[in-house]
Amino acid sequence: MNPKHYRVVALGKPTEEQRGQWYFQRYVAEFPHGGEMVLFDRSWYNRAMVEPVFGFCTDEEYRNFMRGVVGFEKDLVRQGTILVKLYFSVTKEEQKRRFDRRRDDLLRQWKLSEIDVQAQEHWDDFTEMKYAMLKRTSTTHAPWTIVRSEKKHLAHLNAIRVILNSVDYEGRNPDLDFVPDPEVVVPAAQEIVLMEAERIRSGRFTESGRATCPRPRRSPGCSSPALTDPGSWPRSPRSCSSAGRTSSRPTSTPATRPAAGSSCG
């Protein structure tokens, strides 16, 4: 990818000034220009999972976010932004293995945060918040796509496929396989059904299920939306959905818009 046309945004803890602003304001300030893609490493969905679990926001702030985010994203998509929302899911056992390796490997210790250390203790809490988030915020205009990430290489490859399928562009090679692996990429609607079936069988969301854990990067958060503004991109005759749908075509997390910006995970 040409670095002139994409950026990775990883916002840190909000300042006191930012805490007094509209919650989405600091994210909107990073949205892409026409023809640009922005990948959010940790997105506004921190407020749907990490913040309420660890007490970084109030119950009212959480409820306001869950009420407002659907309309916020619908407006982005309506005005031309391609929004792709990817949720990288991993089993509890695999998450523990990765955290243990980071703790013991001097070259990886910098990746391990205090939030990560506590992630396993709050596994059930995160699972409940994940379910609530998917049920409320996976919509036809901005659906979630779940990426099984036990095998990182396959997860990365299929995430790229999802993003490429969400945007039309020139030079697309018809001989390449752009279809995501259904064993790796799962629409949110299917994930919700799997989680509900687990709860019926055991009375709660099971700890070892594949559908229970957010991706283990920096924090046990979950979503990394990506926004793209295809405003000045050359188009090819191939039609393209501006935001994946929960159907046989993979849903997406990053967002692309013709002069607005995009967020991806």
Side-chain angles (χ1 to χ4, degrees):
M1 293 175 65
N2 188 333
K4 294 181 179 179
H5 300 297
Y6 83 94
R7 289 180 287 120
V8 176
V9 174
L11 299 180
K13 181 180 177 181
T15 63
E16 283 303 312
E17 179 182 2
Q18 290 172 333
R19 287 188 61 83
Q21 297 173 345
W22 176 47
Y23 177 72
F24 296 101
Q25 189 165 336
R26 67 188 191 126
Y27 295 99
V28 172
E30 299 291 343
F31 277 11
H33 308 295
E36 184 182 30
M37 176 183 290
V38 172
L39 309 178
F40 283 94
D41 181 3
R42 299 292 156 244
S43 70
W44 45 87
Y45 278 100
N46 267 350
R47 178 140 295 180
M49 293 193 64
V50 176
E51 291 187 17
V53 168
F54 285 98
F56 297 156
C57 69
T58 66
D59 291 343
E60 183 180 10
E61 287 173 330
Y62 169 76
R63 289 194 298 269
N64 287 339
F65 172 82
M66 294 296 279
R67 280 197 296 263
V69 68
V70 172
F72 170 70
E73 292 176 352
K74 185 175 183 178
D75 230 26
L76 289 179
V77 174
R78 180 177 59 82
Q79 297 183 52
T81 298
I82 297 176
L83 175 64
V84 182
K85 301 191 306 191
L86 299 175
Y87 187 103
F88 291 83
S89 178
V90 69
T91 62
K92 186 176 184 180
E93 293 75 15
E94 176 61 16
Q95 185 190 63
K96 182 179 185 303
R97 187 193 68 80
R98 292 179 186 178
F99 287 171
D100 288 344
R101 186 178 183 186
R102 291 178 186 180
R103 184 192 61 235
D104 300 334
D105 188 335
L106 293 178
L107 297 179
R108 289 183 170 85
Q109 285 180 357
W110 65 272
K111 294 183 178 182
L112 192 65
S113 69
E114 182 58 33
I115 296 293
D116 292 336
V117 173
Q118 300 179 50
Q120 292 267 297
E121 300 174 15
H122 292 279
W123 183 272
D124 289 347
D125 296 328
F126 278 115
T127 301
E128 292 287 347
M129 302 307 289
K130 171 189 174 181
Y131 177 75
M133 182 188 73
L134 294 180
K135 285 282 285 186
R136 172 63 181 164
T137 68
S138 187
T139 61
T140 55
H141 53 270
W144 278 103
T145 296
I146 313 302
V147 180
R148 309 292 190 207
S149 58
E150 283 80 10
K151 297 180 179 179
K152 287 186 176 182
H153 174 72
L154 290 179
H156 294 165
L157 178 62
N158 282 276
I160 291 171
R161 286 171 171 166
V162 171
I163 295 172
L164 291 178
N165 282 337
S166 71
V167 181
D168 203 9
Y169 57 91
E170 288 183 351
R172 187 182 181 93
N173 187 342
D175 296 326
L176 296 179
D177 180 11
F178 289 92
V179 180
D181 184 344
E183 294 295 317
V184 178
V185 174
V186 180
Q190 181 179 338
E191 184 81 337
I192 291 170
V193 170
L194 292 173
M195 294 184 74
E196 290 175 343
E198 289 177 359
R199 188 167 58 181
I200 290 172
R201 284 193 298 267
S202 63
R204 65 185 180 88
F205 296 125
T206 60
E207 290 190 350
S208 59
R210 295 185 63 186
T212 56
C213 177
R215 70 174 181 174
R217 282 183 60 191
R218 296 194 188 178
S219 70
C222 62
S223 75
S224 307
L227 297 173
T228 307
D229 178 350
S232 61
W233 291 2
R235 310 288 291 183
S236 73
R238 177 179 174 274
S239 63
C240 173
S241 168
S242 62
R245 300 198 180 263
T246 41
S247 66
S248 57
R249 187 170 187 270
T251 59
S252 52
T253 294
T256 312
R257 87 162 259 205
S262 98
S263 107
C264 167

